[in-house]
């Protein structure tokens, strides 16, 4: 989303109610995405209106649950869910073509351990996820909102991580990754300043790239541009 589009959206009065971490783009669905949504939404789709989730009922079992916020086209989420069939995965994304693309990938991989929301993650966390329900929350390459005047739109903020913390079980992990150095510094500052988290990096900075995080499109692009990538893991200690 370019700044001029954002300003136009704001001028149209679309997103002035609250500061959100996204501007909803009306991207067209491909035929494949539309077909996957039609086929798989009844089994894999979750809605904000359903309210608080009973995970045992949703997945038909008790298992550690990983929540990914802003999964984009879902490639890394599907790869992780396929690599860890013993865990439950929930993905949240506001971009409908991304949700369709994720369901297509999930069908191809034959996944039964993934459910998805097409909704604002801030509201899903608040209204649908019980306290202590999650083993891991992961946010990979969230929109960096490069300009200083847009930094307030960044998802990783003190209020957001404080609202997220009780959703993790004690010892549960928040895993963040970004290819934008200034956002990495912002993440480290927010997380280091937040109470009841422990930085899992030995030097209290960033961790080496964890092997369970697959390469995403954004990371590959960043690598081509010569950007670095920064991973952070913090566990809930209180
Ligand atoms: C830069 S993309 C990265 C996508 C993916 N994680 C990857 O690495 O390829 C950030 C994504 O987060 C989504 N997003 C931003 N804010 C969100 C929110 N509050 N709830 C759900 N999704 C959100 C955007 O729609 C976008 O698809």
């Amino acid at each position: 989303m370019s700044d001029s589009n954002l300003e136009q959206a704001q001028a149209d009065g679309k997103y002035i109610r609250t500061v959100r971490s996204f501007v909803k783009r009306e991207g067209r669905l491909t035929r494949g995405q539309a077909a996957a949504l039609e086929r798989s939404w009844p089994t894999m789709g979750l809605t904000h209106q359903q309210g608080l989730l009973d995970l045992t009922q949703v997945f038909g079992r008790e298992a550690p649950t990983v929540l990914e916020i802003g999964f984009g086209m879902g490639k890394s989420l599907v790869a992780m869910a396929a690599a860890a069939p013993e865990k439950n995965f929930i993905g949240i994304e506001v971009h409908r073509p991304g949700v369709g693309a994720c369901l297509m990938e999930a069908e191809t991989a034959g996944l039964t351990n993934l459910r998805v929301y097409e909704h604002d993650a801030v509201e899903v966390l608040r209204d649908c996820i019980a306290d202590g329900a999650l083993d891991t929350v992961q946010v990979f390459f969230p929109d960096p909102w490069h300009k200083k005047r847009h930094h307030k739109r960044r998802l990783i903020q003190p209020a957001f991580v404080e609202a997220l913390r009780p959703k993790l079980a004690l010892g549960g992990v928040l895993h963040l990754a970004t290819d934008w150095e200034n956002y990495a510094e912002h993440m480290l500052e927010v997380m280091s300043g937040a109470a009841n988290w422990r930085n899992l990096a030995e030097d209290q900075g960033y961790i080496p790239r964890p092997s369970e995080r697959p390469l995403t499109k954004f990371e590959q692009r960043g690598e081509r541009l010569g950007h670095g990538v920064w991973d952070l893991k913090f566990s809930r200690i209180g």
Side-chain angles (χ1 to χ4, degrees):
M1 167 61 91
S2 71
D3 287 339
S4 58
N5 285 348
L6 170 67
E7 271 153 23
Q8 186 59 49
Q10 287 175 329
D12 292 345
K14 283 189 183 148
Y15 292 100
I16 52 175
R17 188 171 53 84
T18 51
V19 176
R20 294 189 200 261
S21 58
F22 60 90
V23 174
K24 198 147 174 154
R25 299 157 280 157
E26 292 308 325
R28 276 173 61 105
L29 290 173
T30 65
R31 263 194 218 168
Q33 291 164 358
L37 278 165
E38 197 156 314
R39 273 192 308 268
S40 291
W41 186 260
T43 46
M44 297 179 74
L46 297 170
T47 63
H48 178 248
Q49 292 91 318
Q50 280 172 248
L52 197 64
L53 287 185
D54 176 342
L55 291 178
T56 309
Q57 194 209 327
V58 167
F59 288 96
R61 64 176 182 177
E62 296 213 15
T65 301
V66 179
L67 178 82
E68 179 162 330
I69 295 175
F71 59 72
M73 305 302 267
K75 272 211 182 292
S76 65
L77 176 60
V78 168
M80 289 181 78
E86 74 284 2
K87 294 184 181 173
N88 300 330
F89 286 79
I90 300 175
I92 315 178
E93 174 54 62
V94 285
H95 188 50
R96 191 167 170 76
V99 176
C102 181
L103 292 185
M104 272 174 86
E105 298 265 350
E107 285 179 351
T108 306
L111 295 186
T112 57
N113 60 337
L114 175 65
R115 301 290 182 276
V116 294
Y117 281 95
E118 180 194 342
H119 201 86
D120 181 354
V122 173
E123 295 185 359
V124 171
L125 268 176
R126 188 190 60 205
D127 302 329
C128 308
I129 307 293
D131 284 353
L134 304 174
D135 186 63
T136 306
V137 175
Q138 54 197 37
V139 192
F140 298 157
F141 305 94
D143 298 298
W145 293 104
H146 302 109
K147 303 214 161 157
K148 200 159 187 180
R149 70 176 188 279
H150 291 151
H151 284 183
K152 59 182 179 296
R153 286 178 167 270
R154 288 176 168 174
L155 188 62
I156 307 305
Q157 306 285 0
F160 176 72
V161 296
E162 184 57 16
L164 180 155
R165 187 172 51 85
K167 308 298 176 177
L168 281 167
L170 265 183
V173 170
L174 174 62
H175 180 184
L176 308 173
T178 180
D179 64 353
W180 190 252
E181 188 168 16
N182 176 268
Y183 200 3
E185 289 164 356
H186 171 88
M187 288 171 171
L188 188 58
E189 196 180 307
V190 168
M191 292 307 301
S192 304
N196 296 312
W197 293 97
R198 184 164 71 84
N199 190 343
L200 298 185
E202 272 173 31
D203 65 356
Q204 299 304 294
Y206 307 102
I207 53 163
R209 175 200 163 75
S211 57
E212 79 270 12
R213 183 171 62 72
L215 264 186
T216 70
K217 195 182 79 179
F218 282 84
E219 184 163 9
Q220 281 165 332
R221 196 195 55 165
E223 273 183 353
R224 279 201 304 278
L225 295 171
H227 293 170
V229 170
W230 293 266
D231 281 270
L232 300 86
K233 274 192 185 179
F234 282 74
S235 74
R236 178 186 171 192
I237 55 167

